[in-house]
Amino acid sequence: MNLLVVAPHYPFFDRASGDLRFSRILQALARQHKLWFCPIYDRLHAQKIGEQENLRYRRALEDWGVTVHTGGPREILKRVDIDAVWFEFYFAVLPWIDEVRVLRPQARVIVDSVDVHWRRLEAKAALTGFPEDAAQAQRVRQEELSAYRAADAVVAVTDDDARLLATELKGRHVPVIPNIHAIYEPVADVAEPVLSFVGGFSNDPNTDAVLYFCNEVLPLIRSQVPNAVFNVIGNAPPPAVQALASETVHIHGYVPDTTPLLRSTLISVAPLRYGAGMKGKVGEAMSMGLPVVTTLVGAEGFGLTPGVNVLVGDTPQAFAAHVVNLIGNPQLRRQIGLGGHALMQERYSEPVVTQQVLDLFSQLPNGPVQTVPLHQRWLRRAGMVLDERVLWRFKRHG
């Protein structure tokens, strides 16, 4: 199968859990199919992380056998008999869906939701009470559903997201490809009460979680465990997070490999107050056998059982009590850590989820393709020709 992947940027697999999942999906597909990859906002992201770093991620894709094309999808659609187009995120769809339907009307269009964005924004609006947050959630909901309705298949990350999307999309089947995790030998217990949080700060819920934890939860923990320290690990911490740095709160920022810091951690904490989809920080910690304390939001999507493979606290007092209890109870730490580790191995390991990815694409040829009437295709094609031969001059020189 010839597969075109359209995404905002190369997968930054060591900076964000969603990108790690995406990278592993691409690796699995590249072993069986021919892939072309178009990063539509390549220059913008190169400016953010630097040319050399951007090139590092491009070379990783090429090492997996993926052909990278930075000139936009149109050229690939014109010259390659594409069987399917995978869009990463809803906002990549709408600018390019007409091109796909006109140039490759037989190609199946798949959108990877990554998470249902409007759910995360609605939860934020409920937390802040700000009208502008509610308005943003409503706007994104409309845009997101418009993109999903234009596609032939929509992929969710959790069963909860899949059920929501199936309802909104009038019963359409929504397959699930969850996060994919390498499974490690369970970490050895450490002597010091080190708590760690992992998360990239381009994602607003992570900033909120760290501020909430340091302001409302950590003081309660330290009132009973004065030597407890907190590691904050993740790309691009904003000034409000950097300002928390102290002898107690260690702001590490981006690290290329979180494993050494997690191996020196006693408890992983994920005090998320809003969000959507699966939380990579939770899965990563459990894949190493670390006990996790989180919220209902943080536990979402895994099928976890509080008290068996995770501890859940949705108030500062409950969260702090779970952490303090774990610090003083090695047997409970081992139970929760090994329980999470076993669940990750059973449901979210690379062999298990890779097979789900391959199964999805093996079934694609049997699925329907949305058709665009011939007269509409001709009109859209005429618009594309006008843009390609005339209007680009005004865009360039205007």
Side-chain angles (χ1 to χ4, degrees), residues 154-171:
V154 180
V155 174
V157 179
T158 69
D159 290 335
D160 288 341
D161 281 359
R163 283 189 288 268
L164 174 63
L165 290 176
T167 300
E168 295 285 349
L169 300 174
K170 301 186 185 303

Side-chain angles (χ1 to χ4, degrees), residues 90 115-144 203-205 274-276:
Y90 74 92
D115 64 30
V116 180
H117 292 61
W118 89 76
R119 284 188 64 214
R120 167 165 43 84
L121 295 172
E122 284 179 346
K124 180 183 179 182
L127 183 66
T128 66
F130 295 154
E132 57 268 32
D133 288 340
Q136 183 189 20
Q138 182 59 27
R139 176 182 57 79
V140 169
R141 181 180 185 277
Q142 293 173 354
E143 293 176 1
E144 202 167 347
N203 195 21
D204 289 344
Y274 65 96

